[in-house]
Amino acid sequence: MSVEMYLDQGRLTRFLRLRGGRVERKLRERTARVARYAEDGAPGRMGAYVSWKVIEGPKGLQGVIACDHPAVHYVLNGTRPHIIRPRRKKVLRFEIGGREVFAAYVRHPGTKPNDFMLRALERGR
């Protein structure tokens, strides 16, 4: 007795790529997990700005994770040393050791890059 089986690759691919199918569910789970890692690794309140979605891309379904915080570019890439000057007033005012201090400008030392999005992606693999 012999058994033959034929697979229609196109039909199989369409079945796997169906909206709500197994592939999409797994992609949603993985994308959500990586987004949680990004939220946890983000500094301060930046994690609240992390969002994710699954979209139909040119090569099929894609998981997209985004951070919409206004300063995310500076966190991911770091900053060079720079001078901070007042915008609306004549001097800057801040507290150091419980004392109120005024300054015409401040030399900021810059910040190192903190690529929490890449670390989340690597952790989610």
Side-chain angles (χ1 to χ4, degrees), residues 16-75:
L16 289 175
R17 300 288 181 208
L18 283 174
R19 281 297 206 178
R22 181 172 170 80
V23 172
E24 183 183 8
R25 283 195 310 268
K26 288 306 231 179
L27 182 60
R28 282 187 182 281
E29 289 172 10
R30 189 172 194 171
T31 305
R33 185 176 66 235
V34 172
R36 281 193 304 273
Y37 293 153
E39 289 173 10
D40 294 342
R45 296 188 186 130
M46 197 170 285
Y49 291 85
V50 174
S51 62
W52 66 272
K53 61 185 172 186
V54 174
I55 63 169
E56 185 74 38
K59 294 184 179 181
L61 296 174
Q62 296 176 339
V64 179
I65 301 170
C67 182
D68 297 331
H69 191 277
V72 71
H73 172 74
Y74 302 114
V75 171

